Amino acid sequence: MSPRPASRDWPLWEVFVRSRGGLAHKHVGSVHAADAKMAVEAARDVYTRRMEGISFWVVPSAAITASDPADSGPLFEPAEDKVYRHPTFYKIPDVIKHI
Amino acid sequence: MSSNISEPLDAELALREALFRYVLRLGDDSLILGQRLGEWCGRAPMLEVDLALANLGLDLIGQAIHLLAYAGEIEGAGRDGDRLAFHRDVLDYSNCLLVEQPGGDFARTIARQFFFSHWQLLLFQGLCGSTDETLAGIAKKAVKEVAYHVRFASEWIVRLGDGTEESRRRILSGIDWCWRFVDELFETDAVTRQLVATGVAVDPSGLREAYDTAIGLVLDEATLPRAAPRRGVVGGRQGRHSEHLGHLLAEMQFLPRAYPDAVW
C-alpha cells in the first residue's frame, strides 16, 4: 500500500464492533478523526447509536496491510477444487443440535 | 374557615408551584439546547461531528420530553409536554440564557456545551438523590448521557485550545461569548430555596466549587486561560430572554402554531 499523501482531512480509522459477549469484533466501517481518542468517540456516535455493540476497536486504516487483488489467483484459486476441506462429508448424529 | 386549616394548604400549594417552576426550568434548558444542537444537522464540518451533535441534541430533547411531561402533571391544568413546548411564548420560557445563545461557529457551540454540560452533570448527579422520586428517576437516566456530553465537549475544548492558531482564536472567542452566562446557572431564588429545604432540589450555589475545578482542569489541559470573574447576565429564569430565543421559538413552534391539530 502506498503511503497516503499529506491531506487536510483527518486520518481514517477502521471500526470494529463486538455485538455481544463471546463474539468477535467485526468490521463495520470507518470514521475520520484527528486522533485515537476522538476516533473512539466518533465510532460511538456513528456506529453504536442503536445498541449495536458492547465494545469496539478503532485501528488506523494506514496500519492495515491488505492482500493485493491482483494476487487473487495464487491466493484463493488453489482452494477451489478442495471441497473436501468443508466438513460436509460427515454424518452428524441427530442428537447433535448446535453445529 | 380558620387560618389553622388553610395555612398548611397554602404551603402545600406554594411547594407545588415551586416544583412546577423548577421542573419547567430544567425541561426548558434541555429543550432549547436540544433545538440549538439540531440546527447543526447537515451543516457540521464532518459527518462524524454532525452525528455527534445530533446525538447530543436528541439526548437533551429526550430529557425535555420527560421533564415537561412531569411539569404538566404537577401543574394539573391539562397541559402536556407538547403543549408546554409548543404553545408557550418567550416570556413564559424559563431556560437559562446560556442555552439560547446562537451556535455561532463550531467552537462557540463547543464552548456553550462545555459550560452547560459540566453544570448539568453536577446538578443531575445531585438530583439522583432527590426526595422527589420522579425527578430522581429522570436524573438517573440522564446522568449517563450527560457524562458523555461532558467528555465530548471537554475533548474538543482541549483540541481546539491546544490545536492550531486558528482553532485557538476561535475557542477563545467562543468562551468569551459564553462565559458571562455561566453565573446564572448557580443562581438561587425563592423557587430553589423552597425545594432545597425539602430535599427535592439541589442547591445550585453549592455546585460552584466543583464546577470551577472541573472546567479548570480541562482549560489547563487545553492551555487556555481560566476565565476571569465577570459580572454575569441573568434573567432567563424569570422570562427575561435575549432576542435570540424568540427567533428559535418561531422556528421550533411554527408547525403546531400554524396547524394546531396536526399529528404524526
Side-chain angles (χ1 to χ4, degrees):
Chain A
M1 193 175 129
S2 60
R4 277 164 60 89
S7 161
R8 282 186 67 238
D9 285 336
W10 293 329
L12 198 61
W13 303 74
E14 299 303 321
V15 182
F16 299 81
V17 172
R18 161 178 278 165
S19 53
R20 277 188 290 128
L23 295 182
H25 285 76
K26 204 172 151 199
H27 186 239
V28 292
S30 51
V31 291
H32 286 95
D35 54 49
K37 237 175 165 177
M38 296 303 262
V40 166
E41 297 194 354
R44 181 262 190 192
D45 283 323
V46 176
Y47 292 110
T48 62
R49 306 173 70 214
R50 300 176 186 86
M51 303 191 303
E52 288 91 339
I54 55 159
S55 151
F56 53 77
W57 295 339
V58 292
V59 178
S61 305
I64 291 176
T65 308
S67 61
D68 187 340
D71 289 341
S72 64
L75 285 176
F76 308 119
E77 278 169 27
E80 268 176 20
D81 59 354
K82 299 182 177 65
V83 287
Y84 51 82
R85 287 178 181 169
H86 288 282
T88 49
F89 299 94
Y90 305 94
K91 266 205 159 353
I92 298 167
D94 289 341
V95 291
I96 309 291
K97 298 286 183 215
H98 305 290
I99 197 160
Chain B
M1 190 75 69
S2 86
S3 62
N4 287 348
I5 293 169
S6 70
E7 259 171 24
L9 271 179
D10 286 349
E12 203 174 295
L13 276 177
L15 213 56
R16 201 178 169 84
E17 165 75 15
L19 181 61
F20 167 68
R21 291 184 55 188
Y22 186 67
V23 175
L24 193 64
R25 287 174 185 183
L26 300 180
D28 286 350
D29 285 349
S30 296
L31 177 65
I32 299 303
L33 189 53
Q35 176 72 14
R36 275 282 182 237
L37 287 166
E39 292 169 355
W40 276 101
C41 216
R43 293 178 189 165
M46 327 234 356
L47 176 141
E48 289 80 353
V49 174
D50 204 286
L51 272 173
L53 294 175
N55 284 351
L56 261 58
L58 287 174
D59 285 346
L60 287 159
I61 287 172
Q63 295 166 11
I65 289 173
H66 293 299
L67 289 163
L68 293 181
Y70 185 42
E73 209 177 288
I74 299 161
E75 188 191 35
R79 291 200 285 184
D80 63 5
D82 280 349
R83 192 85 208 159
L84 286 169
F86 296 118
H87 296 272
R88 261 186 311 150
D89 217 336
V90 179
L91 296 177
D92 296 322
Y93 262 84
S94 55
N95 57 278
C96 59
L97 298 172
L98 177 63
V99 294
E100 72 196 42
Q101 297 309 307
D105 58 8
F106 179 65
R108 198 203 287 173
T109 289
I110 290 296
R112 185 182 62 194
Q113 198 67 43
F114 175 67
F115 289 132
F116 180 78
S117 294
H118 271 278
W119 169 75
Q120 205 190 27
L121 180 64
L122 292 169
L123 178 72
F124 281 178
Q125 280 170 343
L127 285 178
C128 287
S130 169
T131 52
D132 184 290
E133 275 176 31
T134 310
L135 202 49
I138 296 171
K140 275 178 201 154
K141 180 175 181 292
V143 91
K144 285 181 204 147
E145 297 166 352
V146 181
Y148 185 76
H149 303 175
V150 163
R151 179 173 151 173
F152 174 84
S154 301
E155 295 285 1
W156 271 111
I157 290 281
V158 172
R159 277 155 187 82
L160 294 172
D162 196 13
T164 63
E165 213 172 287
E166 174 73 355
S167 71
R168 187 180 174 84
R169 181 185 69 72
R170 283 174 182 258
I171 194 62
L172 279 169
S173 120
I175 288 173
D176 187 54
W177 178 285
C178 297
W179 181 243
R180 70 197 121 145
F181 302 110
V182 168
D183 279 356
E184 187 185 26
L185 304 173
F186 301 95
E187 220 182 9
T188 310
D189 66 1
V191 169
T192 52
R193 265 192 295 273
Q194 278 184 78
L195 296 173
V196 167
T198 52
V200 170
V202 175
D203 182 3
S205 58
L207 305 174
R208 187 67 201 243
E209 206 184 318
Y211 179 83
D212 284 338
T213 308
I215 63 167
L217 287 172
V218 180
L219 292 172
D220 288 352
E221 197 189 338
T223 69
L224 291 166
R226 294 196 179 199
R230 179 163 166 187
R231 200 168 72 160
V233 190
V234 297
R237 302 301 186 200
Q238 284 75 43
R240 295 195 306 275
H241 293 282
S242 59
E243 63 171 296
H244 310 297
L245 183 62
H247 295 288
L248 181 148
L249 293 183
E251 192 177 319
M252 186 180 85
Q253 298 178 333
F254 167 76
L255 201 109
R257 281 176 182 265
Y259 307 95
D261 300 321
V263 286
W264 278 110

